[in-house]
Amino acid sequence: MQRDTARGRKPVVSLRGPAELLAAVPGLLGYVPEESVVLIAVGPAGRHVTQCVRCDIPPPSQVSVTADQLAAATAEARPSFVDVVVVGGGSLGPRGSPPRRDVAEAIRCSFGVRGVAQPGAFWVSKLDAGQRWQSYDHPEVGGELPDPAGSLLSAELAGLGHVTFGSRSEMVALFRPDAGETLRRRSELIDQRIGKLAEWTPEVGARDVVRAVRLSAEPDMSLSDEDVADLAIALSDARIRDACLAMAVPPNSSLAHQAARLWQFLARALPAPERAEAACLAAYAAYQGGDGTLARIALDTALAANPGHVLAGLLDHALQRGFHPHRLRALAEHDEMGLCARLRAAS
């Protein structure tokens, strides 16, 4: 199960009817899901989408367990109601009945036990323009899906700099490590620098980070192995790491995008355990930007590289429980090195 807080900085878009809701799913998740169950939770005020939770369609033997897990994860944030979307799972029956009704009914039951309203359950064959969608509850409610890429939500998100990926695997590729020999070479360079830490100061590391963030604004960002090793040392310093967190705020600013691009690059370029620092920064940037799926992937990368990473564990806890990004905004208030001021002054 992927626990994904709905993307926002809050594009304000009114969704008129089930077809527009279904077309919004790729924008809400950040990618186009296939063969999936997606829950869309609306917050206590009943007006804003606060969570999207996705999992693979379970086999019949696992439907009850999966439904209970999904409902438990979503109900913890106390939504006013939740819509269920099944993507794929087969084709319409001979009388137009959508497939995998067992999944929708099991989820409805699990939410009912927890006192959460579940007003809508829908099936769609694929999240592409012209694909068939159908209500589980009302046979007369259905039709052809409008183009998700042409939805108002997609346009709003694109204007904020968000990318909607063609699949989750495309997002995972953003954190795929570089070749083993390259990582070994960089690991040796890092070890050499660790042996000379007496000659290193946080100001040296701060200058290295500022230079790299500036380079990340260029289309063909190029950092040498030596640069990567220097940045590994810089990010291992708590003061610099905390200053880098501040670059994620305000979300969707040019600085936030530049920094996020650098952290993703370093999450691929650095060996373990140093990769964890960059991946954690990428996770925080994604979390503050409202991209829960990307934050989830980045945190998985960080915790795989360093299972004991404290900040990654904190963010993982928050994401699992659906904390709103604003609840973690205080993490971005410790730029004692003044990195953001230096970068904004130069822009």
Side-chain angles (χ1 to χ4, degrees):
M1 176 176 68
Q2 282 96 46
R3 172 74 173 242
D4 303 329
T5 302
R7 284 162 63 150
R9 183 168 164 200
K10 303 180 173 180
V12 179
V13 175
S14 296
L15 300 176
R16 297 179 293 273
E20 291 192 4
L21 176 70
L22 296 174
V25 167
L28 291 169
L29 280 177
Y31 66 99
V32 182
E34 297 180 345
E35 300 299 316
S36 300
V37 180
V38 179
L39 304 187
I40 303 172
V42 175
R47 297 180 60 189
H48 301 292
V49 173
T50 55
Q51 284 179 287
C52 278
V53 179
R54 189 217 76 92
C55 74
D56 294 338
I57 296 176
S61 62
Q62 295 296 313
V63 166
S64 179
V65 171
T66 301
D68 197 57
Q69 290 174 341
L70 286 169
T74 309
E76 190 173 347
R78 298 183 178 179
S80 59
F81 65 87
V82 178
D83 284 318
V84 177
V85 179
V86 176
V87 183
S91 55
L92 289 171
R95 296 184 178 180
S97 177
R100 300 314 306 265
R101 182 179 294 275
D102 58 328
V103 174
E105 291 180 350
I107 292 173
R108 188 193 304 277
C109 179
S110 293
F111 275 115
V113 168
R114 291 169 173 81
V116 177
Q118 195 269 297
F122 306 98
W123 168 85
V124 61
S125 55
K126 291 178 65 177
L127 288 168
D128 289 333
Q131 294 293 319
R132 179 72 182 177
W133 69 270
Q134 184 70 48
S135 167
Y136 281 102
D137 300 315
H138 306 286
E140 72 280 6
V141 177
E144 291 188 356
L145 190 71
D147 186 2
S151 69
L152 286 174
L153 180 62
S154 292
E156 289 285 338
L157 289 168
L160 293 173
H162 286 289
V163 175
T164 299
F165 292 82
S167 67
R168 195 173 191 272
S169 61
E170 290 182 14
M171 303 177 81
V172 172
L174 293 174
F175 297 90
R176 188 170 296 138
D178 289 346
E181 181 55 40
T182 300
L183 294 178
R184 283 189 289 273
R185 183 172 66 248
R186 292 169 183 162
S187 182
E188 291 174 1
L189 290 170
I190 293 169
D191 289 342
Q192 291 172 13
R193 283 155 173 75
I194 291 174
K196 298 179 179 179
L197 276 180
E199 305 170 13
W200 184 88
T201 66
E203 180 56 32
V204 170
R207 289 197 297 266
D208 289 336
V209 170
V210 168
R211 172 180 173 271
V213 174
R214 288 173 180 163
L215 286 173
S216 70
E218 299 177 3
D220 299 318
M221 177 177 60
S222 178
L223 294 172
S224 67
D225 287 349
E226 289 73 15
D227 293 331
V228 170
D230 289 338
L231 289 166
I233 298 300
L235 296 183
S236 69
D237 184 273
R239 288 164 294 183
I240 294 177
R241 193 274 311 276
D242 289 350
C244 290
L245 290 171
M247 296 180 196
V249 178
N252 303 304
S253 65
S254 58
L255 177 56
H257 287 302
Q258 285 175 229
R261 186 180 182 220
L262 176 62
W263 312 145
Q264 291 170 15
F265 172 88
L266 291 174
R268 298 188 299 270
L270 286 169
E274 288 82 9
R275 177 184 306 128
E277 298 294 348
C280 191
L281 289 170
Y284 183 72
Y287 203 146
Q288 287 304 303
D291 197 330
T293 303
L294 195 62
R296 174 74 273 152
I297 294 167
L299 285 173
D300 288 345
T301 301
L303 291 169
N306 182 358
H309 196 281
V310 174
L311 179 58
L314 183 153
L315 294 175
D316 180 60
H317 177 89
L319 188 63
Q320 289 282 355
R321 284 153 183 78
F323 286 9
H324 192 281
H326 280 286
R327 293 183 65 178
L328 301 176
R329 189 61 59 86
L331 292 172
E333 297 175 355
H334 304 286
D335 185 5
E336 297 176 3
M337 303 297 298
L339 299 190
C340 291
R342 300 187 208 189
L343 286 160
R344 289 181 179 124
S347 62

